[in-house]
Amino acid sequence: MDALVNKRIKEVLKGDQNAFAEIVELFQDKLYRVCYRMLGNKHEAEDIAQEAFVRAFVNIHTFDTNRKFSTWLYRIGTNLCIDRIRKKKPDFSLDADVTGTDGLTMYSQVASTDDLPEEEVLKMEMQDRVQYEISRLPDKYRAVIVLKYLEDLPLQEISDILDMPLGTVKTRVHRGREALRKQLSNM
Amino acid sequence: MNMCPDYIVHYMHEYLDGEISPEHELELKAHLSSCASCQKHMHELSRVVAFVQSASHITAPIGFAEGVTARLPKEKSKVNMKRWFHSHPIVTAAALFMILMSASLFSSFNDDQQFSFTKQSNIVVEGEKVIVPLGETVFGDMVVKNGDIQIDGEVVGDVTVINGTQYMASTANVTGEIEEINQVFDWLWYKMKAGAKDVTSFLNGKEGK
């Protein structure tokens, strides 16, 4: 897989966009998933994940082929997500356009800062509830929890992606778990 | 739980990270079996992990990759052409052949401004003019480049003047064709005819001119 990716990267470096399209095919699900879990909104996730690929393409010459491409790509993606979360306007509305979200309720569109009344939360479908609880996590814990439990990445790789010491990653995973425990205490 | 040491919770997380040492694990297990509140804490943390991991695997929406391609900056035309060449090898070969051929023809027309002529024993050269003197007979074709030819005598063969003029005296006698070439296209046509002639004479097994 890595050999194939590096071959494609060399072609992209020569200016071949078709080779990059193959890289997108290989990594789109992973990156989109992380963005979706981080942002909790399909449209934003698609926008940010696509933007991450565009940035990867533009900056491909800075990628060190001795390292893992997915780590580099995740780093671009998570940084964009964190920026987006911080810039997010607080006036996010539940009535926001949810067309084309095929079957997802408005709860899956809820921004991280909006806490719902408990009775609403208890009525949620399981999948929406998972997304909702992840969205409620402070973003510094959210990133590590998403990468650890939804992408099954080793702690060392998470440390590379988020560019923080391994110890910090561990602490954030612990605190993230504790935060989720408190959030879920009513279940 | 209040009375329990902080490190017990820390051990729980070490356990969940799969990084607990055997000693810590023994200590944690011993404590959990004796402390209901820590047991509850541990159970809740395990449930959190299972809860988060139950999230379904979603995939990128349809048209995602096309969206990325649409947002990429325009690719270098160099690669576009390269791809086109790859998919049309015969056209490419033909085009390349034409380019090289025409280049060599044009360059031989433009660069070669030297006065030159077919060497014959009985002709006279004055400056840039070749004279076939009266009474002399030249056997064979005469080609004069970048100069004039004056024919007073007889030429048994063709006379070709490139970038020059031919002067014929009333006594002149040329058995073959007389041709004056001053334009690029005439030059090309001449080259092509010469090439064809070479090929046909080669095919006929004759010696080329």
Side-chain angles (χ1 to χ4, degrees):
Chain A
M1 168 97 170
D2 282 350
L4 175 74
V5 171
N6 283 340
K7 189 165 169 266
R8 293 287 169 265
I9 288 169
K10 284 199 185 90
E11 287 164 9
V12 176
L13 280 169
K14 288 178 195 152
D16 188 350
Q17 275 193 3
N18 282 8
F20 192 72
E22 281 186 51
I23 294 178
V24 174
E25 292 288 341
L26 285 172
F27 293 99
Q28 58 176 359
D29 288 341
K30 284 181 177 196
L31 193 66
Y32 173 77
R33 202 156 54 218
V34 169
C35 291
Y36 175 64
R37 295 304 178 189
M38 293 277 291
L39 298 165
N41 175 303
K42 287 200 160 191
H43 294 303
E44 273 191 302
E46 185 173 0
D47 179 40
I48 292 292
Q50 287 181 339
E51 177 64 22
F53 276 117
V54 171
R55 292 202 183 186
F57 177 79
V58 172
N59 298 303
I60 195 93
H61 58 278
T62 65
F63 172 66
D64 174 4
T65 46
N66 297 321
R67 310 188 72 168
K68 229 174 140 179
F69 182 75
S70 60
T71 302
W72 188 68
L73 189 63
Y74 276 137
R75 181 191 284 210
I76 297 172
T78 50
N79 281 340
L80 285 172
C81 286
I82 291 166
D83 284 352
R84 175 61 67 96
I85 292 163
R86 286 179 187 158
K87 278 187 208 147
K88 216 174 209 172
K89 292 171 197 148
D91 62 329
F92 202 88
S93 163
L94 285 184
D95 302 323
D97 184 20
V98 289
T99 50
T101 49
D102 46 341
L104 273 164
T105 68
M106 60 181 173
Y107 304 116
S108 59
Q109 307 290 318
V110 168
S112 57
T113 44
D114 294 339
D115 273 2
L116 292 173
E118 196 172 316
E119 60 271 23
E120 292 285 328
V121 173
L122 291 173
K123 278 192 290 182
M124 277 183 185
E125 294 287 332
M126 183 62 174
Q127 286 303 320
D128 293 334
R129 180 74 194 271
V130 173
Q131 184 55 43
Y132 171 70
E133 298 298 348
I134 292 170
S135 300
R136 284 171 71 198
L137 280 173
D139 59 271
K140 58 181 180 177
Y141 302 154
R142 203 187 311 167
V144 291
I145 292 289
V146 166
L147 294 173
K148 166 109 180 107
Y149 287 114
L150 294 163
E151 294 306 307
D152 268 327
L153 296 177
L155 293 171
Q156 182 56 55
E157 198 174 334
I158 297 172
S159 139
D160 291 339
I161 290 167
L162 299 173
D163 198 19
M164 55 175 70
L166 188 58
T168 310
V169 173
K170 282 185 191 169
T171 308
R172 289 191 177 185
V173 170
H174 299 180
R175 294 202 180 143
R177 276 195 294 248
E178 290 294 342
L180 280 170
R181 185 179 76 92
K182 290 199 181 76
Q183 283 171 213
L184 294 176
S185 56
N186 63 351
M187 262 182 100
Chain B
M1 193 167 80
N2 294 343
M3 297 94 72
C4 300
D6 281 348
Y7 65 78
I8 291 297
V9 175
H10 189 73
Y11 288 175
M12 289 181 197
H13 286 287
E14 282 185 345
Y15 176 79
L16 291 171
D17 287 339
E19 294 183 338
I20 194 165
S21 64
E23 306 88 69
H24 287 180
E25 191 171 351
L26 277 177
E27 204 175 330
L28 177 65
K29 279 189 173 154
H31 181 83
L32 289 183
S33 61
S34 65
C35 174
S37 75
C38 283
Q39 204 172 24
K40 182 168 172 280
H41 191 144
M42 184 72 217
H43 177 70
E44 284 172 352
L45 285 177
S46 307
R47 210 173 57 122
V48 160
V49 171
F51 172 79
V52 175
Q53 282 178 329
S54 74
S56 59
H57 263 220
I58 51 166
T59 53
I62 296 154
F64 180 90
E66 289 76 12
V68 173
T69 310
R71 287 166 73 163
L72 292 182
K74 278 268 162 277
E75 79 176 351
K76 295 171 194 156
S77 55
K78 176 177 107 180
V79 177
N80 247 335
M81 276 170 57
K82 205 186 278 172
R83 199 175 304 132
W84 190 87
F85 286 153
H86 270 293
S87 44
H88 302 90
I90 294 171
V91 181
T92 306
L96 196 65
F97 177 78
M98 287 305 288
I99 290 167
L100 292 176
M101 283 304 290
S102 61
S104 77
L105 289 182
F106 279 111
S107 66
S108 62
F109 180 78
N110 289 319
D111 298 346
D112 194 9
Q113 297 295 334
Q114 299 277 342
F115 172 55
S116 63
F117 55 93
T118 313
K119 206 160 174 75
Q120 297 283 3
S121 54
N122 47 3
I123 56 172
V124 179
V125 179
E126 273 176 18
E128 297 200 336
K129 189 194 250 182
V130 178
I131 300 166
V132 181
L134 187 63
E136 294 286 350
T137 304
V138 173
F139 294 93
D141 298 342
M142 281 294 300
V143 178
V144 178
K145 258 193 204 175
N146 303 308
D148 302 334
I149 185 164
Q150 184 185 327
I151 301 168
D152 299 331
E154 198 179 335
V155 177
V156 182
D158 301 342
V159 173
T160 309
V161 186
I162 298 156
N163 277 349
T165 326
Q166 36 96 5
Y167 303 102
M168 306 286 281
S170 55
T171 51
N173 184 6
V174 177
T175 58
E177 288 170 41
I178 305 167
E179 229 178 334
E180 242 183 76
I181 299 166
N182 288 313
Q183 302 294 323
V184 172
F185 286 105
D186 284 350
W187 167 245
L188 272 178
W189 178 235
Y190 167 75
K191 273 284 193 187
M192 284 161 73
K193 274 202 298 189
K197 246 184 237 170
D198 282 351
V199 171
T200 46
S201 64
F202 175 77
L203 289 176
N204 294 338
K206 283 183 204 153
E207 195 191 337
K209 72 177 174 99

